[in-house]
Amino acid sequence: MIDFSKILVIVTLLGGLGIFLIGLIIMTKGLQSLAGDTLRNAMLHFTKSPYSGALSGAIMTTLLQSSSATTVAAVGFVGAGIISFSQSLGIIFGANIGSTFTGWLVAIFGFKFNLETFVLPFIFLGAILKLFAKENVASAGFTLAGFGLIFVGISTMQEAVSGFENILTPDLLPNDSFVGRLLLIAIGIGITMITQASSAGIAMTLTLLYGGAVNFEQALALIIGMDVGTTVTAAMATIGANINAKRTGFSHVIYNFISAIFAFLFITPFISILNYIKPEFILENAQIAVVVFHSSYNIISVLLILPFTNIFANFIKKLIKENSNNSINNLNEEFLKEPKLALNATLQSIIKEYITILKHIEFILNKESKYQRMDIKEVQNILNITHKFLDKIHIKQKDSPDWAYLVDLIHAIDHLQRLHERCEEEEDRIICAKNIIELKDILNQFHTNILSTILVQKTNNWNQLIKNSEELTKDIEKIRQQYREDIANKIATGELDVPDGSDRLEAIRWINRVSIHIYRINYYIHKAILSSGK
């Protein structure tokens, strides 16, 4: 005879897990809308080495509550050529540390405090804000509602496991042996592959441990498996990607397996250490002890591998070798089969062409320039090829990040074409501007902005560059208006003849137009870079 009470308990547990997952998804989406671009930009700016990458990866994952978002961002940035493969490894390593924060959240607030009733008003408030507010306030409401649902889900699972005594017990699961732990790790991998979120599996494991359905050792093995299960997302993010993106994605997979081996060997020593420090700690604080284990082995694993990042990178490069015929630097028609790959290739081409033009302008401005004059016609041909390739990329879903990516590139190359046209005009306008005392200060600022734009490819300090570029365009416009009036007055009084006055006006007009194009190109390239990490 079917025991419906047992079915009800299982359904309640799964329902609680579902509420937790929905809450996690909602909260993560809210956080990404609220601060996703800001965090991606910060990650770009602060990732200078594997060590700084690990820190930025950990922080981004903690704040966004999604290691997958961090991993996909790292894969996207490498694919677009914005950060190096070695730098991205630090981000991947750090994401594992950041992913342990959810476990602390669940263990402390989900089990130590009964927040179910307390968070219900916040769910209502969050829903109201999402429905009636706009932009950041609506995103904050979404985040608040998701946060509340997480604890409703935990409470529902707690209620379900109280009736689990006759359904699931530690005796029904693999025992605490070498083989038994391996089987439990496999079960953990399977759970995360199904839920696509290790946080949900960890919450369920903590709940089962709370209800006595699994013992402490079994919980640790399950947690290890759930960490390994997150590598599926990273592996999928590399489908159709270029060589560096594939290397970054599979580095996440390989590193997690290495980390899992260490964690597997760390189980017994960890238990021994805890028992030595405080024998009753595991018995009294089992959930906290699990998240301590989870954080400990992830932190130790990262600290152990960071000094060997270059060795690890070389190993990955040998494992996944580069195909010389599939270089991202070429606008290969095959890339069009995968829009993301085509967009990344176009972004790299646009940046290279942009830098070439900027170096040309800097060469004309500076007699001691270390850069070279460009071949105007050759660069125009390359721009035309890039433009035609971009015209062949089509995205149907307007709510897709790739749609925004494509639109940003269309704007960028449009301004780039017009910037090139400015360079085709008489160079006498720049030379004339250099000889005008009244324009000396603004021309120096203009020159500095060009140098900063060339160097931003290394610093990734885009926010400051865009701010400075925008302020410069406003300053030049103010000077242009006043300067035009001054020139007209000087022509009227005979201090200047009409041709000389016209040359001076054309000089300031040229600087004004070029500065606007540089600002807009910087703005759209930065937006495209952030879109590549979504």
Side-chain angles (χ1 to χ4, degrees):
M1 184 177 179
I2 300 175
D3 190 341
F4 288 101
S5 62
K6 291 183 179 180
I7 294 176
L8 180 62
V9 169
I10 295 171
V11 169
T12 303
L13 177 69
L14 294 176
L17 179 62
I19 295 171
F20 180 92
L21 269 172
I22 291 295
L24 190 65
I25 292 168
I26 290 174
M27 185 176 74
T28 299
K29 284 189 175 181
L31 288 168
Q32 288 185 0
S33 298
L34 196 62
D37 280 350
T38 300
L39 290 173
R40 275 184 282 270
N41 186 66
M43 186 169 74
L44 277 176
H45 179 54
F46 291 109
T47 301
K48 308 296 183 185
S49 67
Y51 289 92
S52 59
L55 182 61
S56 60
I59 292 172
M60 180 172 174
T61 302
T62 299
L63 295 177
L64 288 184
Q65 283 297 285
S66 174
S67 61
S68 298
T70 304
T71 302
V72 169
V75 170
F77 290 150
V78 173
I82 308 304
I83 61 175
S84 69
F85 172 56
S86 295
Q87 289 172 331
S88 72
L89 289 179
I91 296 173
I92 298 296
F93 301 153
N96 277 33
I97 295 176
S99 66
T100 65
F101 179 77
T102 308
W104 285 100
L105 196 69
V106 172
I108 294 174
F109 296 102
F111 295 99
K112 294 295 181 181
F113 304 98
N114 185 9
L115 297 181
E116 180 188 11
T117 305
F118 177 75
V119 299
L120 290 177
F122 289 96
I123 296 174
F124 174 75
L125 176 62
I128 293 298
L129 290 175
K130 177 61 180 175
L131 288 171
F132 298 105
K134 295 180 179 179
E135 298 180 353
N136 286 345
V137 178
S139 297
F142 215 40
T143 302
L144 194 61
F147 181 79
L149 286 172
I150 284 175
F151 291 101
V152 172
I154 293 170
S155 180
T156 304
M157 287 191 286
Q158 284 178 321
E159 180 185 339
V161 296
S162 62
F164 247 57
E165 294 87 353
N166 299 320
I167 300 175
L168 180 64
T169 64
D171 294 335
L172 295 176
L173 292 171
N175 58 16
D176 186 31
S177 63
F178 183 86
V179 176
R181 289 179 181 180
L182 288 177
L183 290 173
L184 286 163
I185 289 173
I187 292 171
I189 293 172
I191 291 172
T192 303
M193 288 178 66
I194 293 170
T195 62
Q196 284 295 291
S198 62
S199 298
I202 290 169
M204 187 174 71
T205 301
L206 293 174
T207 306
L208 292 174
L209 177 62
Y210 173 82
V214 299
N215 61 36
F216 183 71
E217 291 80 4
Q218 290 170 334
L220 298 187
L222 287 169
I223 293 292
I224 296 171
M226 288 165 186
D227 263 7
V228 176
T230 60
T231 60
V232 174
T233 305
M236 291 180 67
T238 65
I239 295 175
N242 64 50
I243 187 70
N244 278 329
K246 285 181 179 179
R247 286 170 175 170
T248 303
F250 280 104
S251 292
H252 179 63
V253 176
I254 295 170
Y255 167 71
N256 268 33
F257 272 99
I258 294 173
S259 179
I261 293 171
F262 168 74
F264 181 82
L265 299 174
F266 187 54
I267 292 177
T268 301
F270 175 79
I271 295 171
S272 299
I273 292 169
L274 275 189
N275 287 332
Y276 177 78
I277 296 172
K278 192 175 182 181
E280 66 277 9
F281 185 79
I282 293 176
L283 186 63
E284 295 175 356
N285 302 279
Q287 290 77 36
I288 297 294
V290 168
V291 294
V292 168
F293 171 79
H294 190 209
S295 295
S296 297
Y297 86 74
N298 273 292
I299 292 172
I300 294 171
S301 296
V302 170
L303 292 176
L304 289 174
I305 200 167
L306 276 176
F308 304 100
T309 302
N310 289 334
I311 296 174
F312 185 77
N314 289 333
F315 166 72
I316 297 295
K317 288 177 181 178
K318 289 180 180 179
L319 188 67
I320 305 175
K321 296 181 179 179
E322 187 167 7
N323 184 350
S324 59
N325 294 323
N326 194 34
S327 173
I328 191 68
N329 296 321
N330 300 319
L331 298 178
N332 194 316
E333 294 286 329
E334 289 295 313
F335 294 156
L336 295 170
K337 296 177 182 179
E338 294 290 341
K340 188 80 169 188
L341 188 58
L343 291 169
N344 286 343
T346 306
L347 174 60
Q348 285 197 29
S349 292
I350 287 175
I351 290 175
K352 287 182 178 181
E353 292 149 20
Y354 182 37
I355 297 302
T356 299
I357 294 173
L358 289 176
K359 288 179 178 179
H360 171 82
I361 297 172
E362 203 281 332
F363 175 83
I364 298 171
L365 285 171
N366 182 12
K367 292 181 179 179
E368 299 177 356
S369 175
K370 63 180 180 180
Y371 302 121
Q372 296 179 348
R373 184 188 300 272
M374 68 176 174
D375 185 320
I376 297 286
K377 291 184 178 179
E378 182 183 350
V379 173
Q380 182 62 69
N381 289 335
I382 296 172
L383 275 171
N384 291 339
I385 291 170
T386 304
H387 215 150
K388 288 178 182 178
F389 183 82
L390 185 62
D391 285 341
K392 296 178 183 178
I393 304 173
H394 303 293
I395 310 292
K396 295 182 179 180
Q397 296 179 331
K398 291 187 178 182
D399 58 346
S400 165
D402 287 347
W403 168 271
Y405 195 174
L406 175 60
V407 172
D408 292 334
L409 291 179
I410 290 171
H411 282 297
I413 200 165
D414 175 59
H415 281 283
L416 191 58
Q417 289 276 23
R418 285 188 275 170
L419 179 63
H420 183 270
E421 289 172 8
R422 302 285 84 80
C423 293
E424 285 182 311
E425 296 173 356
E426 294 294 332
E427 289 183 13
D428 289 345
R429 295 175 183 178
I430 307 177
I431 297 170
C432 178
K434 289 168 63 178
N435 295 324
I436 300 173
I437 297 175
E438 295 90 336
L439 298 181
K440 183 177 180 181
D441 289 342
I442 200 67
L443 197 62
N444 286 336
Q445 293 178 46
F446 176 74
H447 184 211
T448 300
N449 191 55
I450 289 175
L451 290 173
S452 298
T453 303
I454 294 171
L455 294 174
V456 79
Q457 312 305 320
K458 295 180 180 179
T459 65
N460 276 321
N461 192 8
W462 286 95
N463 277 350
Q464 189 61 48
L465 175 68
I466 291 168
K467 181 182 177 181
N468 292 344
S469 299
E470 184 179 19
E471 289 176 354
L472 180 62
T473 59
K474 293 177 180 178
D475 292 341
I476 292 174
E477 177 59 25
K478 289 178 184 177
I479 291 173
R480 187 186 70 83
Q481 292 175 0
Q482 183 60 47
Y483 190 67
R484 181 183 178 86
E485 187 70 24
D486 292 342
I487 292 298
N489 290 336
K490 288 181 179 180
I491 292 175
T493 60
E495 292 181 55
L496 292 174
D497 57 26
V498 172
D500 190 17
S502 296
D503 287 342
R504 288 169 179 256
L505 289 176
E506 284 298 323
I508 187 65
R509 189 178 293 117
W510 185 91
I511 295 172
N512 184 48
R513 288 173 177 172
V514 170
S515 68
I516 291 172
H517 291 316
I518 289 174
Y519 161 59
R520 300 307 293 174
I521 294 169
N522 289 343
Y523 175 79
Y524 285 115
I525 285 181
H526 181 225
K527 283 189 66 181
I529 288 170
L530 294 180
S531 294
S532 74
K534 295 181 181 178

